[in-house]
Amino acid sequence: MRLFWRVFWLNALMGVVATVLLMIGPWTVSAPVRLTEAVVLVAGTTTMLAANAALLRWGLAPLDRLTQLMGTIDLLRPGQRLPVTGSGEIAALIATFNQMLARLEAERGLSNARALSAQEDERRRIAQELHDEIGQSLTAVLLDIKRLTDRAPESLRADLRQVQEVTRDSLDEVRTIAHRLRPGVLEDLGLMSALASLTNQFEGLAVRRELDPGLPPLSPQAELVIYRIAQESLTNVARHSGATEAVLELSVDPDPGGAAGGGVTLRVRDNGRGTGGEHEGAGIRGMRERALLIGAGLTIRSEPGQGTEVTLRVRTTEQGDA
């Protein structure tokens, strides 16, 4: 029954009962009103208001839960739904809201997939241009400087060697940036070698790796997501956590979230100061978007002074699809 009719019939019932009692009972309303008559009227009115309040509170409680969920919903944390309780238009509203969330999550996933695919293509293009254009140009400059250094007077050789070192450092930096933009080792040697190489790229941070050699087959997209999230996690540790040590672990998870076929778990933890409940930045939200791209679950646990732990659980099937 719709909430409108519940309230209507309750009020109608209370009115009929009051009318019948006045018709067959000893109660009357005099002018001026007597004390006993006033007590009866106040009691009847109070009873009607209490019944209406109880009905409306019970009937509108699902709307309160819906309002709370609408104020806190985050499409980067999918699966948040309300149980369809109540009846009539309230149950229909909750069911419609749940369906809307499902559509928004699906559309967000498709949009993220297109955006991240375009982002990877752009990274690949920029990395290729850095390697082919700027890298080769700097290499040519280095050769020219070396030739000039061999021919220059002794008084200029020290300055030319300094210029040569600066140019060589610039070339190394360009190669490092190109490597971060496009992890060629991931495509050429696979995920394990790419992660092993990644752990050696952070100066001042000791990264211990624990890589399970018995991983199930993963799709190229899943391997790229795992690598990018590991890269972003370690970059955050090196830049913001103040940590001196970190652990990168990749292991087989026989039952991630109850998914058939098992899966793979990536875990990155450090001994830094933790996030302290800070608002998630663009880097973490980017990791959540990448996790959604392959239907993986991403959790971040951090306590002040106890470091941060990033966990990515990737579901796989026997065919290796993620």
Side-chain angles (χ1 to χ4, degrees), residues 75-232:
L75 293 180
L76 293 180
R77 295 177 172 86
Q80 301 178 73
R81 300 290 187 271
L82 273 178
V84 181
T85 57
S87 58
E89 65 273 22
I90 294 180
L93 177 61
I94 295 175
T96 302
F97 179 75
N98 288 339
Q99 294 172 4
M100 182 191 70
L101 281 183
R103 290 197 303 271
L104 288 176
E105 289 173 359
E107 293 172 1
R108 179 67 180 267
L110 291 175
S111 176
N112 286 345
R114 289 192 293 268
L116 292 175
S117 177
Q119 183 184 83
E120 290 297 333
D121 290 341
E122 186 67 10
R123 285 186 172 192
R124 188 177 292 106
R125 183 187 66 81
I126 294 175
Q128 192 70 30
E129 290 183 358
L130 286 174
H131 182 272
D132 294 343
E133 302 295 334
I134 300 179
Q136 291 183 6
S137 297
L138 288 175
T139 301
V141 170
L142 275 175
L143 294 175
D144 290 340
I145 294 175
K146 184 179 184 306
R147 186 168 56 252
L148 290 174
T149 302
D150 295 338
R151 298 178 180 178
E154 189 65 31
S155 59
L156 294 178
R157 289 185 179 179
D159 293 336
L160 288 173
R161 289 193 182 97
Q162 183 177 1
V163 174
Q164 187 178 21
E165 290 301 319
V166 172
T167 305
R168 184 177 288 108
D169 292 341
S170 299
L171 178 60
D172 292 340
E173 186 65 24
V174 167
R175 288 173 176 170
T176 300
I177 294 173
H179 178 74
R180 290 178 181 175
L181 288 173
R182 180 177 178 268
V185 65
L186 177 61
E187 299 177 359
D188 298 335
L189 301 179
L191 179 61
M192 304 293 279
S193 298
L195 292 177
S197 175
L198 178 65
T199 59
N200 297 323
Q201 297 177 11
F202 299 91
E203 297 182 1
L205 178 67
V207 182
R208 187 175 81 251
R209 55 180 181 265
E210 300 175 1
L211 307 178
D212 191 337
L215 295 179
L218 295 168
S219 67
Q221 190 177 49
E223 289 188 349
L224 181 60
V225 168
I226 292 172
Y227 178 84
R228 289 299 189 197
I229 290 180
Q231 183 183 46
E232 182 67 26

